[in-house]
Amino acid sequence: ATGPLPTARAPGTGPRTPFSSASFFDASKAFATSHRDRISLEAFESLLRWLKEDGSEIAIFDACNVTKQRRAKLGELVCALNDEAAGRESPVSIVFIESICYDEQMVLQLMEGKVQNSPDFVSLPKAAAMADLHERIRHYEKVYQTVAHDEGPYIKILDLSSKASVSNVYGRMASSVLPFLLALHTMDRPVLLYMLPSGDEAGSSPQYREALVRWARSYARSSELTILTSTEPSALAAAQGLADASGGPQPQQRAMLGPLLV
């Protein structure tokens, strides 16, 4: 689909989407659970028809398949589709993708983006929307079951691509889809460029190194820095001081960078 990106809404404006309150995601409520299951399965069956009829190759079913029972049902539908098309079409394979985030600050930022852009919270002020989303997450946590090895192929992305755990993923999934997933990110990842003054004497002077050290110590995400530097002595000296101050990994040298620190 193409079109303009969604813009952040003004808090507390417009009607709220039906069945969007946190109570609708309470697994102890039979009506809400059956309603959500029905909607999910209808959407998944539509996805399978799209794969079968349109000659498409890859589809992503973005849903909270947090229980083993729900995932097993999806697997049954895929098997039924393959049995129906046996000998006539290539079989459809299913791979579960699980995103696990332990970084509380990262979770908070993702939640803020959710309440700003999702129609689920369009009529709520930010504080009320965040409280509602917290409650929804607690409902998910009560029934959440991580994907297990016996459920088939899976990819687990930890802390938004900082680490991945992969099981029984081969071929195109491993060579194309997995790198694509690892390249996705929803958090800001700034690229900072620093051009050293011309001449080794100026670039290696304590004045510039100390300025970089002060900046690194005050930068909130200094431990996340990946430092790329040219092979010039002045750049190497400045990069090493920056790495020592930030507590991050050692600088990586790149001859094509000229006198840049990145």
Side-chain angles (χ1 to χ4, degrees), residues 122-235:
V122 71
S123 64
L124 297 178
K126 181 178 178 180
M130 290 292 287
D132 190 86
L133 183 54
H134 271 292
E135 184 180 353
R136 182 191 297 192
I137 292 172
R138 284 193 290 270
H139 288 317
Y140 281 136
E141 289 174 339
K142 291 177 183 177
V143 297
Y144 166 71
Q145 296 170 303
T146 189
V147 180
H149 186 76
D150 60 0
E151 294 183 69
Y154 65 73
I155 299 172
K156 297 187 181 186
I157 307 294
L158 282 73
D159 287 334
L160 300 182
S161 302
S162 66
K163 185 179 179 181
S165 175
V166 182
S167 176
N168 293 317
V169 173
Y170 307 100
R172 185 170 53 184
M173 284 296 298
S175 62
S176 299
V177 177
L178 178 57
F180 170 75
L181 291 173
L182 293 176
L184 293 176
H185 61 86
T186 59
M187 310 293 288
D188 290 336
R189 295 184 180 182
V191 176
L192 309 171
L193 303 178
Y194 178 67
M195 176 71 76
L196 290 172
S198 59
D200 285 350
E201 183 177 352
S204 60
S205 69
Q207 174 186 354
Y208 295 99
R209 291 203 305 271
E210 290 171 5
L212 280 173
V213 167
R214 288 195 301 271
W215 172 82
R217 288 174 176 167
S218 64
Y219 184 50
R221 299 174 63 180
S222 61
S223 62
E224 303 174 30
L225 288 175
T226 297
I227 304 172
L228 304 181
T229 175
S230 71
T231 56
E232 292 191 9
S234 58

Side-chain angles (χ1 to χ4, degrees), residues 14-131:
R16 195 174 187 192
T17 304
F19 305 118
S20 59
S21 66
S23 61
F24 182 66
F25 299 87
D26 186 349
S28 66
K29 296 183 176 181
F31 169 77
T33 299
S34 63
H35 196 73
R36 286 186 288 107
D37 287 347
R38 179 179 60 81
I39 293 173
S40 175
L41 292 178
E42 287 178 357
F44 191 70
E45 289 170 349
S46 175
L47 176 148
L48 293 180
R49 288 194 299 272
W50 178 76
L51 280 173
K52 179 181 178 181
E53 297 170 2
D54 293 359
S56 304
E57 297 182 354
I58 295 178
I60 298 177
F61 183 56
D62 183 11
C64 294
N65 304 306
V66 297
T67 65
K68 193 169 184 176
Q69 180 181 7
R70 170 75 72 83
R71 295 190 292 269
K73 182 60 179 178
L74 301 183
E76 291 174 6
L77 293 174
V78 169
C79 289
L81 177 71
N82 289 335
D83 290 342
E84 181 183 339
R88 294 183 289 108
E89 301 173 6
S90 299
V92 174
S93 300
I94 187 169
V95 178
F96 292 110
I97 300 171
E98 181 176 5
S99 179
I100 304 172
C101 191
Y102 297 107
D103 188 321
E104 294 183 1
Q105 185 61 33
M106 193 177 292
V107 171
L108 182 61
Q109 291 185 39
L110 292 172
M111 291 176 64
E112 289 177 344
K114 175 79 170 178
V115 302
Q116 287 177 353
N117 296 290
S118 172
D120 286 0
F121 307 98
V122 71
S123 64
L124 297 178
K126 181 178 178 180
M130 290 292 287

